[in-house]
Amino acid sequence: MHKHFKAAALALAGVLALYGCGQQEEASQGDAGTDEITVVIGHVAPLTGNIAHLGKDNENGARLAVDDLNAQRLKIDGKTLKIEMVGEDDQADPKTATIVAQKLVDSHVVGVVGHLNSGTTIPASQIYANAGIPQISPSATNPVYTQQGFKTAFRVMSNDIQQGSVLGSYAVQGLDAGKIAIIDDRTAYGQGLADEVEKAAKAAGAEIVAREFTRNDATDFRAILTSIKGHAPDVVFYGGMDAQAGPMAKQMRQLGMDAKFMSGDGGCSPEFIKLAGDAAENAYCSQTGLPLAKMPKGADFARRYEAKFNSPVQIYAPYSYDAVQVLIGAMVRANSIDPVKYLPEIGKSNFEGVSGKIEFDGKGDLRHGAVTVYQVRDGKLTVREIAGGGAIEHAAAAVQANVDAAKEVGDSAVRAMGGTVKPAAAKP
């Protein structure tokens, strides 16, 4: 009898333990016995490897958003929202990206910010779409990502059709390049952007004198550059990341090449300048967005980011911040953390983020996306041109804000002296 009673007791304990785990899981989503509802989102970027600095930049931007939103004590279904974020490392590798994507799906995250690279974002997007989990990429620019028809896929920056068009046109019209050589790293991002640059440059009248490729883990480009040197290009464009762009620009100078060096957003970072050294001077690159200083909330973001992480913004942190805002804002509007219920609200997003206006088209691409062309001057990225993105509207708004502020100062002074301020005339 004693043995039977002991076995029954153990079985009952197991049942209670399972019941307790279920209750704990329900409580984490907010049950009747709690005044808090916890939502878990995922973030994926390369946290190891030669572009880990960019991956950490993305993750930091997302974590800053989580902290800011938790401080607001937002409410969903009458309960205080507590946001938790799980970070994963995809190593900038497509296969690893699908593995960590499935891991996040299996752990029941309700939304994902990521991935960083187009080559990882695109294969992972299929997994998130199958699971019905919204995915907001802060940095994947290859057009294919949002052209697959997945209702779960969004991005908060311009795509490579926009960026490549600006770069190719600027190389010809802004740099007087008649002959252009193009190198890419054979990734979805690098090759895709290089293709768009080639199209735009040809359309603007340039001749593509060489089209070469390398790997995204290469460090020695002398053979390729020596071959290209014989074609005497005016511009060498590289489609890839800063880990290769820096050494490539340096080796161009070592070989005595006079061509201007140009890259896209993946090579447009403080790390590129560090790796290229003196060879970075007068290099050109682009970023798919407004300059940080011209972003509506960029100055404040940069200050708070540096204070929290003791590091300057690399490239994509503001977009990661806005991506988290998109996810949580949709949940709040839907009054639910259920992806089925809040997913439709993502497409309706319409707010002023750190990076600018956040509003999506039917594919999940950002409307009014900007592209900024930079030149390295005195070791710093200097703005040369801003295309799209409501740059004129932002500038006009800033001017009007200064005018309004000055008028208010003047009006206050008049009132202080006992005078009367006339109301502004109505606009026609």
Side-chain angles (χ1 to χ4, degrees), residues 65-405:
V66 168
D67 291 345
D68 286 353
L69 289 166
N70 278 333
Q72 294 179 31
R73 299 186 64 79
L74 301 168
K75 299 287 185 179
I76 287 183
D77 197 24
K79 301 178 187 295
T80 300
L81 182 65
K82 180 184 177 183
I83 308 161
E84 295 180 356
M85 190 177 87
V86 177
E88 292 290 346
D89 176 13
D90 66 13
Q91 302 171 30
D93 174 66
K95 183 177 179 180
T96 303
T98 59
I99 293 172
V100 298
Q102 189 61 54
K103 179 180 177 181
L104 288 174
V105 168
D106 293 343
S107 64
H108 306 295
V109 300
V110 298
V112 174
V113 174
H115 300 206
L116 187 154
N117 308 80
S118 295
T120 54
T121 300
I122 293 169
S125 65
Q126 176 73 66
I127 293 171
Y128 300 129
N130 291 345
I133 294 176
Q135 174 191 11
I136 319 287
S137 176
S139 47
T141 51
N142 189 299
V144 171
Y145 169 54
T146 51
Q147 291 176 352
Q148 302 171 99
F150 298 149
K151 300 297 184 182
T152 50
F154 300 83
R155 77 173 113 227
V156 289
M157 59 161 38
S158 307
N159 64 37
D160 283 336
I161 294 176
Q162 298 161 306
Q163 181 176 203
S165 176
V166 171
L167 281 168
S169 298
Y170 189 84
V172 179
Q173 298 166 4
L175 302 180
D176 296 322
K179 298 193 295 183
I180 299 175
I182 296 176
I183 309 170
D184 72 74
D185 66 359
R186 292 288 106 163
T187 65
Y189 161 69
Q191 184 175 357
L193 178 57
D195 289 345
E196 296 299 332
V197 169
E198 180 174 356
K199 290 177 190 176
K202 284 181 176 178
E207 177 189 1
I208 307 302
V209 296
R211 182 71 195 259
E212 301 283 352
F213 65 90
T214 183
R215 303 185 317 275
N216 63 350
D217 60 352
T219 57
D220 188 348
F221 311 100
R222 289 177 179 85
I224 292 174
L225 293 172
T226 299
S227 174
I228 287 174
K229 183 180 179 181
H231 296 284
D234 301 306
V235 166
V236 173
F237 174 81
Y238 175 62
M241 306 303 287
D242 55 13
Q244 285 73 48
M248 186 179 293
K250 179 180 287 188
Q251 289 166 31
M252 278 179 60
R253 297 298 170 256
Q254 291 170 347
L255 290 170
M257 295 178 68
D258 296 326
K260 296 180 176 67
F261 182 80
M262 176 180 273
S263 65
D265 59 300
C268 202
S269 68
E271 185 71 7
F272 163 73
I273 298 172
K274 175 183 174 183
L275 292 172
D278 293 342
E281 197 68 11
N282 292 318
Y284 291 82
C285 61
S286 64
Q287 290 183 7
T288 48
L290 293 170
L292 186 60
K294 292 185 179 294
M295 290 179 183
K297 304 172 186 177
D300 177 66
F301 178 84
R303 176 185 58 78
R304 295 193 304 115
Y305 182 99
E306 291 186 27
K308 184 175 182 65
F309 302 110
N310 194 31
S311 171
V313 172
Q314 288 288 322
I315 305 176
Y316 306 116
Y319 303 97
S320 283
Y321 185 98
D322 284 346
V324 174
Q325 297 278 348
V326 168
L327 285 177
I328 303 304
M331 294 178 199
V332 171
R333 292 194 302 276
N335 198 34
S336 173
I337 63 173
D338 182 351
V340 173
K341 295 179 180 178
Y342 88 78
L343 176 58
E345 289 295 327
I346 293 179
K348 301 175 186 177
S349 299
N350 190 335
F351 68 96
E352 196 74 28
V354 167
S355 62
K357 182 79 167 181
I358 304 297
E359 186 181 8
F360 300 108
D361 65 15
K363 292 181 180 179
D365 276 317
L366 185 71
R367 294 186 190 272
H368 320 299
V371 177
T372 302
V373 177
Y374 295 86
Q375 179 185 16
V376 179
R377 299 286 298 274
D378 299 323
K380 296 180 181 179
L381 292 170
T382 304
V383 176
R384 302 300 299 173
E385 180 179 290
I386 301 174
I392 295 175
E393 291 88 339
H394 282 294
V399 170
Q400 186 59 50
N402 289 336
V403 170
D404 292 344

